[in-house]
Amino acid sequence: MEQTQTNTGPQLTPPHGFAPAIAALMLGTFTIGTGEFAMMGILPAFSDALHVSIGQASAVISAYALGVVVGAPVMAIAGAHLPRRTILLLLLTLFCIGNIGTVLCSSLLPIEVMRFITGLPHGAYFGIAALTGASMTVRARRGRAIGMVLSGIMISTVIGAPLSTFLSHYISWEVIYGALSALGLLCIAGIWALIPADKPHHDVNALSELAAFKNPHVLLTLLTGAIGFGGMFGVYTFLTSALAQVTHLSPWMVTLYQVIWGCGMVAGNAFGGAMIDKNLDRTTIFSLIASIIFMLAFWVFLPSPTAMVVICFFLPAATVILSPAMQARLMDVAGNAQTLSASLNHSAFNIANALGASFGALLVEHGLGMNAVGWGGAILSAGGLVIYLLTLHVGRRHPL
C-alpha cells in the first residue's frame, strides 16, 4: 500500500511487517555476498578439483568481479522502468542460473563464463535492495534500513565464507555452490512473499538513468567509494598471509582473527547506519579519518598479536561505514537516476577491491613488507577523504 512520496519513490507498507521484509532483502545480500567471498576461501580445493594452479583458478574471481562492474549499470538501466520487486526477483533468478551453471561445468573456461554471469546481478541487487529497504520506512530511519539490508554482506564474511572454507575440506566445491543455488531459490520465495508489490516506473527510462553520468554529485560520490574503500580491500587481501608470516599466528588463530574482522564489519555497518540518520557528512568524514588511523596502526603494530585483535575489529568497522553512507548520499543526489546510481555504488566498491589489492601487491612485491599495505591503505583512505571534501565543496557551490 503506497503512503507518501520519498526521494526513493513511494513509501511502501510490507504486507507482513517491516522486519520480515528487511530480513528477506538481507538474506539476499547474505547469499550473494557468500557466493562472492566463498570462492576466495575454497580456491585451493577448487584448483585441485580442476587440476589447475591456484593462479589459473583465481581467474574465476576476476571473471565474477568483471561481471559485477559490467552488470550493475546494464541491469539497472534495462530494468529501471520495472517494479523494484520484479527486478529483484529477476536478478535472483539470474544468480541461481549462474550458480547452477557453475556446478554443472567441468572445466575452467566454462566456469569462468558462469562466474561472469553470476556476477551480473550482484551490484544491481544490492543497490535496488537498499532502495527498496529505504522506501519501506520514514526518511529519519533510512540509514538504519540501508544498513540492515547491507548487513547481509558483512554477515557473509563472518559465517558464509568461513563456513564454505571449512566445508571445502570435507565436501566438494560443487556441493557448496549447489547449496548457494538452493539458498537463492529461498531468497526468491522470501522476496515474493514479503516485499510489497510496487508499480512500474513509467516516468523512468534509459536516458533518465544515464543522466547520472552527467551529475558531478553522483560521480564524486562514486569516486569517494572507489578510492576510499580501496585501503580496506588491500589490507584484507594480504591479511591471512600477514598474520601467518609477520604476526606468526597458527592457522586456527588466523581463522579466529578473520572472524573478528567480519564481526567488525557487522558492527561498523550497524553503527554507521544509525549515525547516517543523524548526520551523513560527519559520519562519512569520521569513517575516512578513523580508517586512516587504523590503517597506520596496522602498519606499525602488525607484529603484535594483542594489538592486531583490536585492529582487526576496528579497521573494517571504521571503513565499512562508507558502504551505507555512499548509498544514502546517492539517494540524495541522484534525482531520477536512483536505480542506476544505487547499483553503481557496488561497481565502485568492486573497483576499490581491484585497486586496493593491486596497490597492496605492488608494495609487497617491491619488498616493502606485508605491513606496507597499512600505509598504502591509509593513502587510499586519505584520497577518499579529499574527494569527499571536494564533493561537499561542489555541493555548496552548485546545490541540487
Side-chain angles (χ1 to χ4, degrees), residues 142-231:
R142 181 188 64 175
R144 273 164 280 196
I146 296 171
M148 285 188 282
V149 171
L150 298 182
S151 67
I153 314 170
M154 321 309 165
I155 295 171
S156 73
T157 66
V158 181
I159 299 174
L163 181 61
S164 299
T165 302
F166 175 77
L167 292 177
S168 69
H169 296 293
Y170 303 99
I171 60 177
S172 69
W173 69 270
E174 291 97 336
V175 173
I176 293 171
Y177 275 92
L180 282 169
S181 302
L183 197 55
L185 294 174
L186 180 61
C187 293
I188 290 173
I191 297 291
W192 177 265
L194 300 172
I195 299 302
D198 55 324
K199 295 180 180 179
H201 301 271
H202 295 299
D203 58 332
V204 177
N205 53 47
L207 290 178
S208 65
E209 289 288 332
L210 287 171
F213 290 110
K214 298 189 296 183
N215 186 333
H217 300 280
V218 170
L219 296 178
L220 286 170
T221 301
L222 292 171
L223 190 59
T224 299
I227 303 297
F229 222 123

Side-chain angles (χ1 to χ4, degrees), residues 4 8 16 21 59 82 111 173 188 193 294 317 367 389 400:
T4 56
T8 58
H16 300 286
L82 296 173
I111 292 176
W173 69 270
I188 290 173
F294 285 107
L389 293 175
L400 293 170

Side-chain angles (χ1 to χ4, degrees), residues 271 281-291 318 321:
F271 173 76
D281 294 334
R282 289 179 185 174
T283 300
T284 303
I285 293 170
F286 166 81
S287 169
L288 289 164
I289 292 175
S291 176
I321 293 172

